[in-house]
Amino acid sequence: MHAENGSVIDVIVQQALAEGKTAPVYHALTRPTIAEAEAVNRAIALAEIAPRTGLYRAFVFGGCAQSGAGGAQSRSSRFRRTCPQYLLLSIDELKRPGFEGAKYVFTPPLRERKIFRNCGMV
């Protein structure tokens, strides 16, 4: 599963576009970690509702503190992994001038470095 609440993000993106917020950094700012946390916790809840199915969770990146909240009660297996760009880069790359920032637009977006520190990843 892609752990983001797409419906919520679509609304936030439309609001940003209406306000003329189109710089690359808004790719990250319109995808708050709470939208990921909600999706992760919804998946955990669905796995609990259907106890004969397992949920193998391999969430690539996100606001770990929030998205891990339901994990203690979950019977589903849990696996965390990440990609090098999330360990080496931050939202600051999206703030680069001109087209340079657009080179770092991908989803899930880059975040503030402090998120990684909260996860114990760096």
Side-chain angles (χ1 to χ4, degrees):
M1 71 168 280
H2 181 79
E4 286 187 310
N5 186 320
S7 299
V8 169
I9 290 170
D10 288 346
V11 171
I12 297 169
V13 167
Q14 289 305 314
Q15 290 172 343
L17 291 173
E19 295 170 8
K21 297 177 177 175
T22 59
V25 71
Y26 289 104
H27 178 72
L29 298 178
T30 57
R31 289 161 176 79
T33 57
I34 191 70
E36 178 183 348
E38 185 278 329
V40 168
N41 289 310
R42 184 169 14 100
I44 293 168
L46 290 172
E48 292 295 317
I49 291 168
R52 292 185 189 198
T53 62
L55 175 63
Y56 176 78
R57 292 179 285 144
F59 299 113
V60 176
F61 170 76
C64 323
Q66 294 170 321
S67 63
Q73 298 87 12
S74 177
R75 290 182 299 235
S76 58
S77 62
R78 184 174 199 169
F79 172 67
R80 277 200 186 200
R81 67 185 172 102
T82 192
C83 298
Q85 64 268 27
Y86 299 115
L87 296 174
L88 301 171
L89 306 171
S90 75
I91 194 172
D92 294 333
E93 311 306 328
L94 291 165
K95 298 174 184 175
R96 290 182 179 200
F99 189 74
E100 289 301 306
K103 293 177 182 179
Y104 299 92
V105 172
F106 43 81
T107 304
L110 292 169
R111 305 287 186 192
E112 298 288 340
R113 289 207 184 274
K114 67 182 179 179
I115 290 175
F116 293 112
R117 289 189 187 107
N118 292 340
C119 299
M121 295 177 80
V122 292

